[in-house]
Amino acid sequence: MTIDELDTPAVIVDLDLMERNMKRLAEYCTRAGIALRPHTKTHKIPELAKLQIQYGAWGITVAKVSEARVMRNSGIDDILIAYPIVADIKARELALLAQNTRLTVSLDSLEAVQSISCAAAERGVHIRLLVEVDVGMHRCGVATPSAAVALAQGILKLPNVEFAGLMFYPGHMMVPRPRFLELLVPLNRLLNEVYGAFAGAAIPIEVVSGGSTPTAFFSDEFQGVTEIRPGMYPFYDRNMVGADVVPVENCALSVLVTVVSTAVTGKVIVDGGSKAFSSDRFLSGHQRGFGLVVEDPDAELEALSEEHGHLSIAASSRPYRLRERLRVIPNHVCSTINMHERIYGIRGDRVETSWVVAGHGKLQ
Amino acid sequence: MTIDELDTPAVIVDLDLMERNMKRLAEYCTRAGIALRPHTKTHKIPELAKLQIQYGAWGITVAKVSEARVMRNSGIDDILIAYPIVADIKARELALLAQNTRLTVSLDSLEAVQSISCAAAERGVHIRLLVEVDVGMHRCGVATPSAAVALAQGILKLPNVEFAGLMFYPGHMMVPRPRFLELLVPLNRLLNEVYGAFAGAAIPIEVVSGGSTPTAFFSDEFQGVTEIRPGMYPFYDRNMVGADVVPVENCALSVLVTVVSTAVTGKVIVDGGSKAFSSDRFLSGHQRGFGLVVEDPDAELEALSEEHGHLSIAASSRPYRLRERLRVIPNHVCSTINMHERIYGIRGDRVETSWVVAGHGKLQ
């Protein structure tokens, strides 16, 4: 099958680029002595998670219990749920999963520990827990070394849960290098204070899980990090290009769309809208637009209806024909893949494979 | 089952409110002598489409061929695809559908007519076509009465396609009533010019398909409209409230979420993010925020990570507890339902039913 035979809109992944991106980070991690535990919320595809493991990843990360179930059902048995699981209904599902999975969960409250301990004890399983520390994003995580130690001590007192270490997410560090280095100073100071507090309390820390795609190749600059959880690095996207994380040539994923209307002057309508791209915004500079048109850097995907992409061609000299196809690199690859039931792997013009997005719609 | 037993995030629909919303518009349409052809892209659920028909709708509208297939497979046999179908691969699927469906398609190009005529002739089926006219939104649609007549004449010359009438989408008219009345003047002038041009060319117009949820109860003010295609009216949403289309009490749908972290001061994290709500923006006033918290008008769902809702409680005096549940009315109901595999119908605290979002992820 060739790309021309794909119905649109369709997400296509350049396999050569994706494999290169996967290998490049795995090699960096090997050199740096840091375990790679990719966040598979980006693609939600078990086959790709297994490919990441084949290329050197140590287990995977997911965001939700239902995503963990999808990955476990495909045979992956070392899973970190990097999300505070606080509800009993989810804790019971965790305990079920832990019967045949090396399961780790991050959290920032004693209530979550109690709920998980109780469910794990009922099933007679053990669940590994990471204490999340807020290193500056101010989303989840305890704020101080003493709060982190207190939570770890809470874990140590309860049955069927094991204190495995610390987790943090530097989500505020997708910034230019000089600013990154500025932010790194207080972050490392906090991490060192935490390590000191744990040493003082004689609590050993096995894992320090950090990292993200924007910071992935600087992971060795974070004090004491033993593993990282980047998600987007197999594909990258317009936001990663906008933040100077990679050049556009590294982007492996685009949405193949068809021009469906040229009736309105100065505009071209393509058959991918917010239900194909997501409405996620561009996070850099002028913050406008919803994708990069590979065939025409002067076109701007200026607005999205649900099923219509509004391409402004006012600044472009490229002629547009009804029924032609274009490739658009989306703002945010994680959100885009999540809109699709199936995505396609290509080499050149050939569709070499396709994958069901098995975790698509798995929100609980 | 009660709501407390639902795992979160979960979309819940107040059945009493939904039924009242459905009936109210159906009754208006009956009084106005206008056919109601609901746009089912809003929910993508065959059972709800059938309920709309039971309450008086004449057939349904969909956005994509794959959505039409889902609805046809459930037994609905009068479908308008309000979307320009230009690709041969889709035209062949249209022809298949037309074997047992009264199928109508809107378009704005002769290339689309030719492709559909060719595919319909191959299968020996007939497909009804509407010429889309741009009445001011500037998305799709021919701009002039003469272009509309020319396209209709193109349809009349080709086999296995039938010119059924006109379609327009007043997507630019979600505005306060005085502005609406201003915009209505040139819109009705254009429609009258189009009708005049068709009369001059002796081409009868059977259907004039207009309308949307924001304009639904003013449909009789659009000259010559014979049917409307509102989507959101069974549920409404924050954008409909923001645009003064309905009071918040009419909103039938919310996302049930759980508080998963209170570790960061001034903030509460809930377990619904952009993958549960979509990233669709609030279109009115300050344009901020991603939902209305039913339990606390002073809280602001200020940001969405993929799986985290960031609730600012800086302006609220309500105490928040970890593990408690909240209901949040989303900005855009169509995009929100599309993120879910299944949604739930409730009466009071009882979960009375649930529906699979069968068209979820159907993009082609």
Side-chain angles (χ1 to χ4, degrees):
Chain A
M1 192 186 199
T2 68
I3 296 175
D4 293 341
E5 295 167 80
L6 283 177
D7 200 359
T8 61
V11 166
I12 53 178
V13 176
D14 184 307
L15 294 170
D16 291 334
L17 278 175
M18 181 190 77
E19 289 161 8
R20 200 182 72 187
N21 290 338
M22 283 184 179
K23 283 178 189 165
R24 191 167 146 257
L25 187 59
E27 285 162 9
Y28 162 81
C29 286
T30 302
R31 281 199 309 277
I34 293 170
L36 175 59
R37 183 183 282 280
H39 207 317
T40 60
K41 55 127 189 186
T42 295
H43 51 68
K44 297 187 170 204
I45 297 170
E47 293 92 326
L48 291 184
K50 288 181 186 173
L51 193 60
Q52 288 171 300
I53 291 169
Q54 187 189 314
Y55 286 167
W58 294 39
I60 62 163
T61 307
V62 300
K64 292 290 179 103
V65 181
S66 52
E67 284 177 24
R69 170 59 64 197
V70 167
M71 291 296 171
R72 183 61 193 92
N73 286 348
S74 82
I76 294 171
D77 60 4
D78 184 349
I79 301 176
L80 164 62
I81 304 180
Y83 199 87
I85 304 301
V86 303
D88 293 342
I89 187 170
K90 286 191 166 68
R92 287 193 293 271
E93 179 65 17
L94 279 186
L96 263 175
L97 266 170
Q99 289 182 318
N100 58 5
T101 313
R102 182 173 186 268
L103 193 65
T104 311
V105 180
S106 69
L107 39 70
D108 63 11
S109 71
L110 192 60
E111 290 93 325
V113 179
Q114 288 162 338
S115 170
I116 294 171
S117 167
C118 185
E122 255 174 40
R123 287 248 162 225
V125 295
H126 275 76
I127 296 176
R128 295 158 51 82
L129 300 180
L130 300 179
V131 169
E132 182 164 1
V133 179
D134 177 14
V135 294
M137 192 200 179
H138 307 318
R139 184 172 73 180
C140 294
V142 299
T144 63
S146 59
V149 167
L151 193 48
Q153 285 169 332
I155 294 168
L156 292 167
K157 278 186 203 138
L158 286 170
N160 298 79
V161 285
E162 178 188 334
F163 171 71
L166 305 170
M167 189 185 90
F168 68 88
Y169 175 55
H172 60 307
M173 290 181 78
M174 191 174 80
V175 289
R177 180 77 180 155
R179 180 71 184 135
F180 173 88
L181 292 171
E182 274 174 32
L183 291 169
L184 195 61
V185 176
L187 192 157
N188 275 335
R189 189 185 309 129
L190 174 61
L191 287 178
N192 280 324
E193 286 169 10
V194 173
Y195 303 151
F198 275 79
I203 304 174
I205 298 168
E206 175 194 336
V207 173
V208 179
S209 180
S212 64
T213 290
T215 61
F217 285 97
F218 308 121
S219 297
D220 55 305
E221 300 176 30
F222 291 87
Q223 286 287 317
V225 160
T226 67
E227 75 170 24
I228 57 171
R229 309 179 313 279
M232 295 178 279
Y233 75 96
F235 314 107
Y236 299 110
D237 56 25
R238 185 174 177 229
N239 273 327
M240 292 299 104
V241 174
D244 281 330
V245 174
V246 285
V248 69
E249 293 71 27
N250 289 32
C251 291
L253 182 145
S254 57
V255 183
L256 185 70
V257 294
T258 299
V259 172
V260 294
S261 177
T262 55
V264 173
T265 311
K267 207 179 217 181
V268 158
I269 299 295
V270 297
D271 65 352
S274 64
K275 284 178 176 168
F277 284 92
S278 90
S279 295
D280 280 21
R281 292 294 172 116
F282 183 51
L283 302 175
S284 299
H286 55 59
Q287 304 196 321
R288 284 201 314 269
F290 293 92
L292 285 173
V293 181
V294 173
E295 293 80 359
D296 185 3
D298 296 328
E300 192 186 339
L301 188 58
E302 60 179 355
L304 299 177
S305 305
E306 283 163 57
E307 302 287 3
H308 303 76
H310 299 237
L311 207 62
S312 167
I313 55 168
S316 167
S317 57
R318 184 183 184 280
Y320 277 85
R321 285 173 300 104
L322 206 63
R323 309 171 72 176
E324 74 173 313
R325 284 149 173 247
L326 303 169
R327 298 185 192 190
V328 184
I329 298 169
N331 282 350
H332 187 186
V333 70
C334 311
S335 300
T336 299
I337 296 175
N338 185 53
M339 308 306 286
H340 294 258
E341 292 186 295
R342 181 181 288 275
I343 71 172
Y344 299 87
I346 63 164
R347 270 190 232 275
D349 284 338
R350 254 180 43 80
V351 179
E352 186 173 296
T353 188
S354 78
W355 309 288
V356 172
V357 184
H360 158 83
K362 295 284 177 282
L363 291 169
Q364 284 79 35
Chain B
M1 191 187 199
T2 67
I3 296 176
D4 292 342
E5 294 167 80
L6 282 177
D7 201 358
T8 61
V11 165
I12 54 177
V13 176
D14 184 308
L15 293 169
D16 292 334
L17 279 175
M18 181 191 75
E19 290 161 8
R20 199 181 73 186
N21 290 338
M22 283 185 181
K23 283 178 188 164
R24 191 167 146 258
L25 186 59
E27 285 162 10
Y28 161 81
C29 286
T30 303
R31 282 200 307 279
I34 293 170
L36 176 59
R37 184 182 281 281
H39 207 317
T40 61
K41 56 126 189 186
T42 295
H43 51 67
K44 297 188 169 202
I45 296 170
E47 293 92 326
L48 292 184
K50 287 180 186 175
L51 193 60
Q52 289 171 297
I53 291 169
Q54 186 188 316
Y55 286 167
W58 294 39
I60 62 162
T61 307
V62 299
K64 292 289 179 104
V65 181
S66 52
E67 286 178 22
R69 170 59 65 197
V70 166
M71 292 295 170
R72 183 61 194 92
N73 286 348
S74 82
I76 295 171
D77 61 4
D78 185 348
I79 302 175
L80 164 61
I81 304 179
Y83 199 87
I85 304 301
V86 303
D88 294 340
I89 188 170
K90 287 192 165 67
R92 287 192 292 271
E93 179 65 17
L94 280 186
L96 263 175
L97 266 170
Q99 288 182 319
N100 58 3
T101 313
R102 183 174 184 267
L103 193 65
T104 311
V105 179
S106 69
L107 41 69
D108 63 10
S109 70
L110 192 59
E111 289 93 326
V113 179
Q114 289 163 336
S115 169
I116 294 171
S117 167
C118 185
E122 255 174 39
R123 287 247 163 228
V125 295
H126 276 76
I127 296 176
R128 294 157 52 82
L129 301 180
L130 299 179
V131 169
E132 181 164 2
V133 179
D134 177 15
V135 295
M137 191 201 182
H138 307 319
R139 184 172 71 180
C140 295
V142 299
T144 64
S146 59
V149 167
L151 193 48
Q153 285 169 331
I155 294 168
L156 292 168
K157 278 187 204 136
L158 286 170
N160 298 79
V161 286
E162 178 188 333
F163 172 71
L166 304 170
M167 189 185 92
F168 68 89
Y169 176 56
H172 60 306
M173 291 181 77
M174 191 174 81
V175 290
R177 180 76 180 153
R179 180 70 184 136
F180 173 86
L181 292 171
E182 275 174 30
L183 290 170
L184 195 61
V185 176
L187 192 157
N188 275 335
R189 189 185 309 130
L190 174 61
L191 287 178
N192 280 324
E193 285 169 10
V194 172
Y195 302 151
F198 275 80
I203 303 174
I205 298 168
E206 177 194 334
V207 174
V208 179
S209 180
S212 63
T213 290
T215 62
F217 286 96
F218 309 122
S219 297
D220 54 306
E221 299 176 30
F222 291 87
Q223 285 287 316
V225 159
T226 67
E227 75 170 25
I228 57 171
R229 309 179 313 279
M232 295 179 279
Y233 74 96
F235 315 106
Y236 299 111
D237 56 26
R238 186 174 176 230
N239 274 326
M240 293 298 104
V241 174
D244 280 331
V245 174
V246 286
V248 68
E249 294 73 26
N250 290 31
C251 290
L253 183 145
S254 56
V255 183
L256 185 71
V257 294
T258 299
V259 172
V260 294
S261 177
T262 56
V264 173
T265 310
K267 205 179 218 182
V268 158
I269 299 295
V270 297
D271 65 352
S274 65
K275 284 178 175 168
F277 284 93
S278 89
S279 296
D280 279 21
R281 292 293 173 115
F282 183 50
L283 302 174
S284 297
H286 55 57
Q287 305 197 321
R288 285 200 313 267
F290 293 93
L292 286 173
V293 181
V294 173
E295 291 81 359
D296 186 1
D298 296 327
E300 192 187 338
L301 188 58
E302 61 179 354
L304 299 177
S305 306
E306 283 163 60
E307 302 287 3
H308 303 76
H310 300 236
L311 207 62
S312 166
I313 55 168
S316 168
S317 56
R318 183 183 185 282
Y320 278 84
R321 286 174 300 104
L322 206 63
R323 306 172 71 175
E324 74 173 311
R325 282 148 175 249
L326 304 169
R327 298 186 193 191
V328 184
I329 298 170
N331 282 349
H332 186 187
V333 70
C334 311
S335 300
T336 299
I337 297 176
N338 184 53
M339 307 308 286
H340 294 258
E341 291 186 297
R342 181 181 289 274
I343 71 173
Y344 299 86
I346 63 164
R347 271 189 231 276
D349 283 339
R350 253 180 44 79
V351 179
E352 187 175 294
T353 188
S354 78
W355 309 287
V356 172
V357 184
H360 159 82
K362 296 284 177 281
L363 291 168
Q364 284 80 33

